[in-house]
Amino acid sequence: MSAAGGTNSVVAVAGTLEPFLGPLTGIVIDAAIFLVVVVATYVIYKAVITSLMERLFDRQGLDEHARRPLQKIVAFLVLFGGVTVAFGAAGYQGFLRSLATIAAAATLAIGFALQDVIKNFVAGVFIYTDRPFRIGDWIEWQGNSGIVEDISLRVTRVRTFDNELLTVPNHALTSDVVKNPVAKKTLRLKFVFGIDYGDDVEKATEIIVEEAEESDAILDDPAPSVRLTELADSYVGLQSRIWIDDPSRADFVKARADYVKAVKVRFDEEDITIPFPQRTVSGRDAWSEPSSFGGAGEGGLGGDS
């Protein structure tokens, strides 16, 4: 019923315009229908779809940097769908079929030519959805580390601690292990203190724990702990395990440096030695003085004149 009514309306409009436009009447009406559908699609996107996206993004807790590319993708899809419907409504089915054939061939060719770009794009989508890290996080991967400055759908930009800017393809961050030390509220630090074999292990352990408890940067819960982990060539290794709160790279470096310095000072006060590496060189057989030394002493220098 509605389709018939719409057809009758178009016929009525065509009959009204035909005296003025003549043979161009059909072309003008088809173009007007096309524009009306496209404009209606845009209005629906702005009035309805945009607000729905904002609610969805708020519910998912997406950051602003993640919302912009997703909004662009949705806008493109809605516009593409609106243009497709507009072609059909305007009676351009033949042109639409030709356009679909051309688009399919172009998509296949572009897919082969831009495999790396597409791979990084898909990886960027995974980064946005999985959120393994955010802007401002300190991350480590493949021997690199730094602070995330920007995340796009193709690359992620990371500022190293030497103030170098790394532009990393997103695929490199989703196909390998990425460590995010600041993803949680607390971070455990480990450090091995090496003491001499003749020093008191229990006394050294007490000092290490006491200095951890004295530090304001180190948490009391979980409590600091020490484990004997190494019997190395020249030292006994005591591994300290401490926790810091709300970590950042600066907090990590400062807390560890201050703590290690405090333990070193206490070791010096308590005469606990941090030994240098030592090596003992020995041969399989006993060393003997070469015979030429003795011959020179007896004949060449000590003989009769």
Side-chain angles (χ1 to χ4, degrees), residues 20-51:
F20 303 98
L21 300 177
L24 297 177
T25 302
I27 297 175
V28 172
I29 291 176
D30 290 342
I33 293 174
F34 178 85
L35 290 175
V36 168
V37 174
V38 171
V39 171
T41 302
Y42 178 79
V43 171
I44 292 173
Y45 170 75
K46 284 293 187 181
V48 179
I49 298 178
T50 301
S51 61

Side-chain angles (χ1 to χ4, degrees), residues 138 187-189 244 247-257:
W138 154 34
L187 175 66
R188 188 178 73 174
L189 312 183
I244 62 174
S248 68
R249 171 71 181 190
D251 295 335
F252 169 83
V253 173
K254 186 176 187 305
R256 184 176 65 176

Side-chain angles (χ1 to χ4, degrees), residues 10-305:
V10 172
V11 171
V13 172
T16 304
L17 295 178
E18 189 171 3
F20 303 98
L21 300 177
L24 297 177
T25 302
I27 297 175
V28 172
I29 291 176
D30 290 342
I33 293 174
F34 178 85
L35 290 175
V36 168
V37 174
V38 171
V39 171
T41 302
Y42 178 79
V43 171
I44 292 173
Y45 170 75
K46 284 293 187 181
V48 179
I49 298 178
T50 301
S51 61
L52 290 176
M53 281 194 303
E54 289 296 332
R55 293 178 185 176
L56 179 62
F57 293 160
D58 291 339
R59 185 179 303 172
Q60 296 296 324
L62 289 181
D63 297 331
E64 184 61 29
H65 76 274
R67 298 186 182 204
R68 288 196 299 269
L70 293 177
Q71 288 170 342
K72 291 179 181 179
I73 293 173
V74 173
F76 172 79
L77 293 176
V78 171
L79 179 61
F80 180 80
V83 171
T84 302
V85 173
F87 274 122
Y92 298 144
Q93 286 86 355
F95 178 77
L96 188 60
R97 284 192 292 269
S98 300
L99 183 63
T101 303
I102 295 172
T107 301
L108 183 62
I110 292 173
F112 280 113
L114 301 178
Q115 292 183 53
D116 289 339
V117 174
I118 295 173
K119 181 168 60 177
N120 288 319
F121 176 85
V122 173
V125 173
F126 284 132
I127 290 176
Y128 282 118
T129 55
D130 295 342
R131 289 184 291 181
F133 51 80
R134 300 172 181 240
I135 291 177
D137 282 359
W138 154 34
I139 63 172
E140 298 179 358
W141 80 102
Q142 297 179 357
N144 301 297
S145 62
I147 304 297
V148 178
E149 286 200 344
D150 181 60
I151 305 172
S152 69
L153 284 173
R154 189 179 66 86
V155 298
T156 296
R157 292 175 177 83
V158 181
R159 179 75 61 180
T160 70
F161 301 110
D162 294 327
N163 204 34
E164 299 170 334
L165 183 63
L166 302 182
T167 300
V168 188
N170 285 333
H171 178 68
L173 297 176
T174 57
S175 61
D176 205 345
V177 176
V178 176
K179 183 165 70 173
N180 186 349
V182 297
K184 303 298 182 180
K185 290 193 63 177
T186 58
L187 175 66
R188 188 178 73 174
L189 312 183
K190 295 186 291 186
F191 191 87
V192 175
F193 295 96
I195 65 173
D196 192 85
Y197 272 89
D199 289 333
D200 187 343
V201 172
E202 295 300 327
K203 181 63 176 177
T205 300
E206 290 177 6
I207 292 174
I208 294 172
V209 172
E210 287 174 2
E211 292 304 319
E213 293 172 344
E214 290 293 327
S215 174
D216 294 333
I218 297 174
L219 296 176
D220 295 328
D221 185 19
S225 63
V226 178
R227 297 290 185 271
L228 196 158
T229 57
E230 297 182 53
L231 295 176
D233 293 340
S234 57
Y235 67 88
V236 176
L238 301 177
Q239 186 185 80
S240 174
R241 302 176 182 183
I242 57 177
W243 294 80
I244 62 174
D245 189 24
D246 196 16
S248 68
R249 171 71 181 190
D251 295 335
F252 169 83
V253 173
K254 186 176 187 305
R256 184 176 65 176
D258 292 345
Y259 172 55
V260 172
K261 180 180 178 181
V263 172
K264 174 63 169 62
V265 171
R266 284 289 306 279
F267 277 4
D268 291 342
E269 294 174 354
E270 301 291 340
D271 294 327
I272 294 177
T273 306
I274 299 178
F276 294 102
Q278 299 178 14
R279 295 291 183 270
T280 301
V281 180
S282 62
R284 184 179 298 273
D285 299 322
W287 183 84
S288 60
E289 181 179 351
S291 59
S292 59
F293 290 175
E298 294 174 4
L301 298 178
D304 295 335
S305 58

